[in-house]
Amino acid sequence: MPELPEVQTVVKGLQANIIGKKITSIIEIRSGTVSQKFDSKITGYGTIEKITRIGKYILIDTDVGLHLVVHLRMTGKLIFKQQDLHRPQHLRALIEFYDNSVLYFDDTRTFGSINIYRKTQKIPSIQMLGPDALSNDFSSDYLWQVLENRKAPIKNLLLDQSVVAGLGNIYVAEILFRAQVLPQKKARHLKHYEVKRIVAETKKILPEAIKHNGTTISDYKNVDGKSGEFQNFLRIYGKQKCQCGENITKIKQAGRSTFYCSKCQK
Ligand SMILES: [Zn+2]
């Protein structure tokens, strides 16, 4: 599942390829993929002005006051092509541009979506998000306050997008390993220095992963169809032996795989 570094890599790819392009049409191949979230009719989607990210959401703004809000979910991919040739196997929607180039939305598992809003509208899914993991608002003071009195394991809270936006199973495993904190530790039992380490490692690991174009474990791809390389730098997720020599433990937490080293993490 794409997490913050993968989504940021997609955003970079989109910025390099589709800014300034005029949209001629948005074609939905599988119903339920694209939805217009306002009443009036669209007379044109306009020209793409700006592409940003918050958490795992991609926001594509156009000059007629629209926001295209894309979430890739499990297996969504945005693939840019100069021409509409060789459509991918699981094409769910496509955006056509004035110069005949296209952006494919390919999604095997079909959980991804493109929702179209007016810029003036409040976007509920984005309003419920906590601070972006790379923003200054995600600080150790903030996290310390949020975790106080919470009984849930720290891992579950870091996965909760209303606590911090952008993290998923892979990066939470890596962050907690580098911060030397056990994933199942109750949030309220964390020491102040542990919370500080979690935030500091988050701010270190995410830019490293972005530098390596994200992590490809199963099928995440950039807009040019290339895989990420950060899987080569993972230390705990999907591994069997820790660098300390200890066997890595794998358990299930809230239905998701958790990896940790019982020697390095306390
Ligand atoms: Zn270890």
Side-chain angles (χ1 to χ4, degrees), residues 28-35 92-93 105 107 110 112-115:
E28 189 180 49
I29 307 283
R30 183 184 188 275
S31 112
T33 307
V34 182
S35 56
R92 306 305 180 196
F105 188 67
D107 189 8
T110 73
S113 58
I114 302 175
N115 292 315

PDB file of all heavy atoms in Angstrom, residues 28-35 92-93 105 107 110 112-115:
ATOM      1  N   GLU A  28     -14.449   7.371 -16.911  1.00  0.00           N
ATOM      2  CA  GLU A  28     -14.522   6.332 -15.891  1.00  0.00           C
ATOM      3  C   GLU A  28     -14.720   4.995 -16.595  1.00  0.00           C
ATOM      4  O   GLU A  28     -15.675   4.818 -17.344  1.00  0.00           O
ATOM      5  CB  GLU A  28     -15.694   6.647 -14.964  1.00  0.00           C
ATOM      6  CG  GLU A  28     -15.748   5.765 -13.756  1.00  0.00           C
ATOM      7  CD  GLU A  28     -16.923   6.119 -12.853  1.00  0.00           C
ATOM      8  OE1 GLU A  28     -18.049   6.233 -13.374  1.00  0.00           O
ATOM      9  OE2 GLU A  28     -16.712   6.261 -11.644  1.00  0.00           O
ATOM     10  N   ILE A  29     -13.818   4.064 -16.356  1.00  0.00           N
ATOM     11  CA  ILE A  29     -13.927   2.740 -16.984  1.00  0.00           C
ATOM     12  C   ILE A  29     -14.705   1.806 -16.059  1.00  0.00           C
ATOM     13  O   ILE A  29     -15.522   1.019 -16.482  1.00  0.00           O
ATOM     14  CB  ILE A  29     -12.525   2.124 -17.258  1.00  0.00           C
ATOM     15  CG1 ILE A  29     -11.640   3.108 -18.044  1.00  0.00           C
ATOM     16  CG2 ILE A  29     -12.626   0.762 -17.936  1.00  0.00           C
ATOM     17  CD1 ILE A  29     -11.910   3.232 -19.511  1.00  0.00           C
ATOM     18  N   ARG A  30     -14.414   1.910 -14.778  1.00  0.00           N
ATOM     19  CA  ARG A  30     -15.136   1.076 -13.799  1.00  0.00           C
ATOM     20  C   ARG A  30     -15.968   2.000 -12.925  1.00  0.00           C
ATOM     21  O   ARG A  30     -15.426   2.891 -12.266  1.00  0.00           O
ATOM     22  CB  ARG A  30     -14.138   0.313 -12.931  1.00  0.00           C
ATOM     23  CG  ARG A  30     -14.811  -0.620 -11.937  1.00  0.00           C
ATOM     24  CD  ARG A  30     -13.791  -1.274 -11.036  1.00  0.00           C
ATOM     25  NE  ARG A  30     -14.418  -2.294 -10.211  1.00  0.00           N
ATOM     26  CZ  ARG A  30     -15.031  -2.041  -9.052  1.00  0.00           C
ATOM     27  NH1 ARG A  30     -15.088  -0.819  -8.582  1.00  0.00           N
ATOM     28  NH2 ARG A  30     -15.572  -3.036  -8.355  1.00  0.00           N
ATOM     29  N   SER A  31     -17.254   1.754 -12.910  1.00  0.00           N
ATOM     30  CA  SER A  31     -18.124   2.679 -12.191  1.00  0.00           C
ATOM     31  C   SER A  31     -17.807   2.681 -10.695  1.00  0.00           C
ATOM     32  O   SER A  31     -17.455   1.650 -10.118  1.00  0.00           O
ATOM     33  CB  SER A  31     -19.588   2.343 -12.492  1.00  0.00           C
ATOM     34  OG  SER A  31     -20.220   1.856 -11.373  1.00  0.00           O
ATOM     35  N   GLY A  32     -17.861   3.845 -10.083  1.00  0.00           N
ATOM     36  CA  GLY A  32     -17.521   3.983  -8.674  1.00  0.00           C
ATOM     37  C   GLY A  32     -16.109   4.513  -8.460  1.00  0.00           C
ATOM     38  O   GLY A  32     -15.728   4.827  -7.337  1.00  0.00           O
ATOM     39  N   THR A  33     -15.320   4.632  -9.526  1.00  0.00           N
ATOM     40  CA  THR A  33     -13.928   5.108  -9.381  1.00  0.00           C
ATOM     41  C   THR A  33     -13.873   6.629  -9.281  1.00  0.00           C
ATOM     42  O   THR A  33     -13.156   7.181  -8.450  1.00  0.00           O
ATOM     43  CB  THR A  33     -13.071   4.635 -10.578  1.00  0.00           C
ATOM     44  OG1 THR A  33     -13.224   3.225 -10.721  1.00  0.00           O
ATOM     45  CG2 THR A  33     -11.603   4.968 -10.374  1.00  0.00           C
ATOM     46  N   VAL A  34     -14.661   7.303 -10.151  1.00  0.00           N
ATOM     47  CA  VAL A  34     -14.638   8.768 -10.191  1.00  0.00           C
ATOM     48  C   VAL A  34     -15.979   9.289  -9.689  1.00  0.00           C
ATOM     49  O   VAL A  34     -17.025   8.795 -10.112  1.00  0.00           O
ATOM     50  CB  VAL A  34     -14.421   9.273 -11.642  1.00  0.00           C
ATOM     51  CG1 VAL A  34     -14.340  10.799 -11.679  1.00  0.00           C
ATOM     52  CG2 VAL A  34     -13.163   8.662 -12.254  1.00  0.00           C
ATOM     53  N   SER A  35     -15.959  10.273  -8.783  1.00  0.00           N
ATOM     54  CA  SER A  35     -17.248  10.869  -8.431  1.00  0.00           C
ATOM     55  C   SER A  35     -17.136  12.370  -8.258  1.00  0.00           C
ATOM     56  O   SER A  35     -16.148  12.889  -7.729  1.00  0.00           O
ATOM     57  CB  SER A  35     -17.869  10.210  -7.210  1.00  0.00           C
ATOM     58  OG  SER A  35     -16.984  10.272  -6.145  1.00  0.00           O
ATOM     59  N   ARG A  92      -9.029   1.714 -14.434  1.00  0.00           N
ATOM     60  CA  ARG A  92     -10.330   2.056 -13.832  1.00  0.00           C
ATOM     61  C   ARG A  92     -10.849   3.405 -14.299  1.00  0.00           C
ATOM     62  O   ARG A  92     -12.051   3.648 -14.258  1.00  0.00           O
ATOM     63  CB  ARG A  92     -10.203   2.077 -12.300  1.00  0.00           C
ATOM     64  CG  ARG A  92      -9.636   0.804 -11.697  1.00  0.00           C
ATOM     65  CD  ARG A  92     -10.391  -0.437 -12.095  1.00  0.00           C
ATOM     66  NE  ARG A  92      -9.820  -1.636 -11.502  1.00  0.00           N
ATOM     67  CZ  ARG A  92     -10.083  -2.859 -11.909  1.00  0.00           C
ATOM     68  NH1 ARG A  92     -10.904  -3.073 -12.931  1.00  0.00           N
ATOM     69  NH2 ARG A  92      -9.531  -3.894 -11.321  1.00  0.00           N
ATOM     70  N   ALA A  93      -9.899   4.281 -14.687  1.00  0.00           N
ATOM     71  CA  ALA A  93     -10.283   5.609 -15.185  1.00  0.00           C
ATOM     72  C   ALA A  93      -9.097   6.189 -15.932  1.00  0.00           C
ATOM     73  O   ALA A  93      -7.958   5.730 -15.766  1.00  0.00           O
ATOM     74  CB  ALA A  93     -10.646   6.524 -14.020  1.00  0.00           C
ATOM     75  N   PHE A 105      -5.430   5.625 -14.452  1.00  0.00           N
ATOM     76  CA  PHE A 105      -5.613   5.211 -13.067  1.00  0.00           C
ATOM     77  C   PHE A 105      -5.856   3.712 -13.081  1.00  0.00           C
ATOM     78  O   PHE A 105      -6.920   3.240 -13.463  1.00  0.00           O
ATOM     79  CB  PHE A 105      -6.788   5.963 -12.429  1.00  0.00           C
ATOM     80  CG  PHE A 105      -6.910   5.707 -10.945  1.00  0.00           C
ATOM     81  CD1 PHE A 105      -5.943   6.168 -10.071  1.00  0.00           C
ATOM     82  CD2 PHE A 105      -7.987   5.009 -10.421  1.00  0.00           C
ATOM     83  CE1 PHE A 105      -6.043   5.928  -8.703  1.00  0.00           C
ATOM     84  CE2 PHE A 105      -8.084   4.768  -9.058  1.00  0.00           C
ATOM     85  CZ  PHE A 105      -7.114   5.231  -8.193  1.00  0.00           C
ATOM     86  N   ASP A 107      -5.849   0.089 -11.067  1.00  0.00           N
ATOM     87  CA  ASP A 107      -6.072  -0.315  -9.683  1.00  0.00           C
ATOM     88  C   ASP A 107      -6.628  -1.735  -9.609  1.00  0.00           C
ATOM     89  O   ASP A 107      -7.822  -1.961  -9.791  1.00  0.00           O
ATOM     90  CB  ASP A 107      -7.043   0.688  -9.027  1.00  0.00           C
ATOM     91  CG  ASP A 107      -7.183   0.483  -7.526  1.00  0.00           C
ATOM     92  OD1 ASP A 107      -6.433  -0.324  -6.953  1.00  0.00           O
ATOM     93  OD2 ASP A 107      -8.047   1.141  -6.937  1.00  0.00           O
ATOM     94  N   THR A 110      -9.237  -2.166  -6.728  1.00  0.00           N
ATOM     95  CA  THR A 110     -10.378  -1.233  -6.905  1.00  0.00           C
ATOM     96  C   THR A 110     -10.814  -0.443  -5.668  1.00  0.00           C
ATOM     97  O   THR A 110     -11.946   0.004  -5.593  1.00  0.00           O
ATOM     98  CB  THR A 110     -11.635  -1.939  -7.498  1.00  0.00           C
ATOM     99  OG1 THR A 110     -12.231  -2.769  -6.492  1.00  0.00           O
ATOM    100  CG2 THR A 110     -11.319  -2.771  -8.714  1.00  0.00           C
ATOM    101  N   GLY A 112      -9.180   2.342  -4.717  1.00  0.00           N
ATOM    102  CA  GLY A 112      -8.764   3.724  -4.955  1.00  0.00           C
ATOM    103  C   GLY A 112      -9.888   4.558  -5.555  1.00  0.00           C
ATOM    104  O   GLY A 112     -10.899   4.031  -6.014  1.00  0.00           O
ATOM    105  N   SER A 113      -9.717   5.887  -5.510  1.00  0.00           N
ATOM    106  CA  SER A 113     -10.783   6.749  -6.010  1.00  0.00           C
ATOM    107  C   SER A 113     -10.256   8.102  -6.475  1.00  0.00           C
ATOM    108  O   SER A 113      -9.189   8.551  -6.051  1.00  0.00           O
ATOM    109  CB  SER A 113     -11.826   6.979  -4.916  1.00  0.00           C
ATOM    110  OG  SER A 113     -11.192   7.566  -3.794  1.00  0.00           O
ATOM    111  N   ILE A 114     -11.035   8.734  -7.353  1.00  0.00           N
ATOM    112  CA  ILE A 114     -10.795  10.129  -7.743  1.00  0.00           C
ATOM    113  C   ILE A 114     -12.089  10.877  -7.435  1.00  0.00           C
ATOM    114  O   ILE A 114     -13.127  10.594  -8.042  1.00  0.00           O
ATOM    115  CB  ILE A 114     -10.478  10.249  -9.257  1.00  0.00           C
ATOM    116  CG1 ILE A 114      -9.255   9.391  -9.627  1.00  0.00           C
ATOM    117  CG2 ILE A 114     -10.264  11.726  -9.646  1.00  0.00           C
ATOM    118  CD1 ILE A 114      -8.946   9.364 -11.129  1.00  0.00           C
ATOM    119  N   ASN A 115     -12.039  11.782  -6.473  1.00  0.00           N
ATOM    120  CA  ASN A 115     -13.220  12.573  -6.130  1.00  0.00           C
ATOM    121  C   ASN A 115     -12.984  14.020  -6.539  1.00  0.00           C
ATOM    122  O   ASN A 115     -11.926  14.576  -6.269  1.00  0.00           O
ATOM    123  CB  ASN A 115     -13.504  12.492  -4.629  1.00  0.00           C
ATOM    124  CG  ASN A 115     -13.955  11.098  -4.223  1.00  0.00           C
ATOM    125  OD1 ASN A 115     -14.796  10.497  -4.888  1.00  0.00           O
ATOM    126  ND2 ASN A 115     -13.386  10.577  -3.163  1.00  0.00           N
TER     127      ASN A 115
END
